[in-house]
Amino acid sequence: MSETQKIEIRALRKSFGSNEVLKNINLDVAKGGVVALIGPSGSGKSTLLRCINLLVVPDGGSVRVGDTRFAFGDGAKLPDVKTLAKFRATTGMVFQHFNLFPHMTTLQNVMEGPVTVRRMAKADAEKLARAQLAKVGLAEKADQYPATLSGGQKQRVAIARALAMEPDVMLFDEATSALDPELVGEVLNVIQQLASEGMTMVIVTHEIAFAREVADRLIFMRDGVVVEEGPARQVIDNPREAATRAFLSHFHRTGALPPANAAS
Amino acid sequence: MYQWDFGILWSYRWLFLNGLGVTVGFTVVIVVLGLVFGLFGAFGSLSRFKAVRLLALTFIEAFRCTPLLVQLIWFYYALPILAGVEMTPITASALALSLYGGSFYSEIIRGGIISIDKGQSEAGAALGMTPGQSMRRIVLPQAIKRMIPALMNQSIIQFKNTSLVSVLAVPDLVYQSQVAAHDSYRPLETYTAVAIAYAAILIPLTILVRRGEKRLAVSE
């Protein structure tokens, strides 16, 4: 069983001060699987995502991605910075606010990981970066600075930047939440394309319709626990738990917010 | 009505030039050394280790919160008595000025680094960079741009602060003009000329830096 799982999270716990944001979380993602994490804000879904690449260091439990496993909690030694860096290089992450490097051109942004982290020769890195930019449909923007791009274009560059590290796993942290509505589609298309290519992905999103379409498994979180999980369509169309139903009732099937009086 | 006579200063031209050379040379030394101390102070105050942070903070506040003139005198007169460290006036004043400037540079550099959005170093970390790599490649290049106006401002102050070394008889521009003023009985002309000399060096420099800032800002 665990051989086919790309990501395996066991008994994960995390507190910020006295606020326990993750309580005993278990999560498996199959190789090539797409898991969507949904839930109200403060439910811990972003923290969980950040625990997968250890951008947030858990207090207890274990995280395994591919062949690398880390255990946390009593007696466990925290990984040193080199080990952490090496581990993170195998997972790509896309942020809500893009976090592109403003002092570098689009091309340089995408080249940065391969050149600095993988020590790739500049010429090879440039070839790789141009290919990734072409993949997200932004080949002609290579020499522009991020400030000149639209939000949707920025996020596509950020995806290209993560892909340039040729990661085993991609993590999306509300990748479309900061975008104007008309720009959401172009980013979702890129994510959908990645899914069809068999990339293993964990997606934190508020786009319920998109999650239903692209994810094969859906996890609904609230107050730091997994309330319900299962095949994405099944959970969205026929939620078992009352809390899931209540949360989903805020959305139309299209993913848009209903009029105020329709909210429960 | 006072009769101005700047012609009289011509006979002291070598004295002034000498003094100006000492002032400029001194400034170069204390700006460079001060930036080195500033880097240590800034990274020290951002360290993960409490002892290092405490040490850096002690250095910064000790030099930031005491008068420079007192520091100069203290380094020259007190250190030999207390620690048995004998220093020439030049060494003592270079050290005091560099440490004094360094304490202010520390805060400028620290402020520049922490002003960069946390998402930037997170993005670096997510790519697999070590904290050092993300500091060098991502945070510092952006932070330096923001620091430049403040660093320049502090360096201008440092240039003018060198005038205080005259109290330790270091022959800088102010010290030499004191000599000239006493000799010529023309203090008004002498100090006016000195003020103009300081401004004549600083104003072109500030214009240069402003231009540089504009060029740097293009990429944002």
Side-chain angles (χ1 to χ4, degrees), chain A residues 82 111-125 165, chain B residues 128-130 132-133 136-137:
Chain A
K82 284 244 169 71
M111 285 171 65
E112 186 57 30
V115 170
T116 302
V117 178
R118 292 171 68 191
R119 307 264 172 225
M120 198 183 271
K122 279 251 169 71
D124 296 338
M165 290 299 290
Chain B
M129 291 187 190
T130 61
Q133 283 173 330
R136 246 189 350 269
R137 299 283 310 163

Side-chain angles (χ1 to χ4, degrees), chain B residues 19-210:
Chain B
L20 197 64
V22 170
T23 293
V24 170
F26 227 87
T27 306
V28 171
V29 170
I30 64 166
V31 166
V32 171
L33 267 180
L35 283 171
V36 172
F37 289 133
L39 274 174
F40 276 107
F43 283 110
S45 61
L46 292 170
S47 166
R48 282 182 294 156
F49 305 106
K50 198 172 175 192
V52 179
R53 287 203 301 274
L54 215 65
L55 196 75
L57 212 70
T58 309
F59 152 67
I60 292 168
E61 300 310 355
F63 284 91
R64 201 162 64 135
C65 302
T66 53
L68 177 55
L69 191 54
V70 175
Q71 290 170 22
L72 282 168
I73 295 168
W74 205 88
F75 265 74
Y76 185 60
Y77 294 105
L79 271 186
I81 299 167
L82 295 176
V85 185
E86 290 274 354
M87 276 187 278
T88 64
I90 288 182
T91 316
S93 38
L95 207 56
L97 273 165
S98 302
L99 287 165
Y100 176 81
S103 69
F104 285 92
Y105 288 139
S106 289
E107 285 297 280
I108 294 168
I109 295 168
R110 188 184 68 87
I113 289 171
I114 62 173
S115 80
I116 300 301
D117 178 31
K118 206 169 154 262
Q120 290 290 307
S121 50
E122 274 184 355
L127 283 176
M129 291 187 190
T130 61
Q133 283 173 330
S134 107
M135 179 59 72
R136 246 189 350 269
R137 299 283 310 163
I138 310 300
V139 176
L140 272 186
Q142 298 178 61
I144 285 169
K145 266 188 229 175
R146 297 192 188 174
M147 295 173 200
I148 283 176
L151 287 177
M152 184 62 192
N153 202 33
Q154 190 58 42
S155 300
I156 288 173
I157 295 173
Q158 283 292 84
F159 180 61
K160 299 191 293 180
N161 275 344
T162 57
S163 62
L164 289 172
V165 302
S166 56
V167 298
L168 299 186
V170 175
D172 77 318
L173 181 58
V174 168
Y175 182 85
Q176 299 292 35
S177 49
Q178 280 168 358
V179 174
H182 289 153
D183 189 60
S184 63
Y185 300 105
R186 286 284 181 176
L188 263 62
E189 283 86 347
T190 309
Y191 289 115
T192 307
V194 166
I196 291 169
Y198 274 95
I201 288 177
L202 283 179
I203 289 168
L205 262 178
T206 59
I207 292 171
L208 220 72
V209 171
R210 248 173 249 256

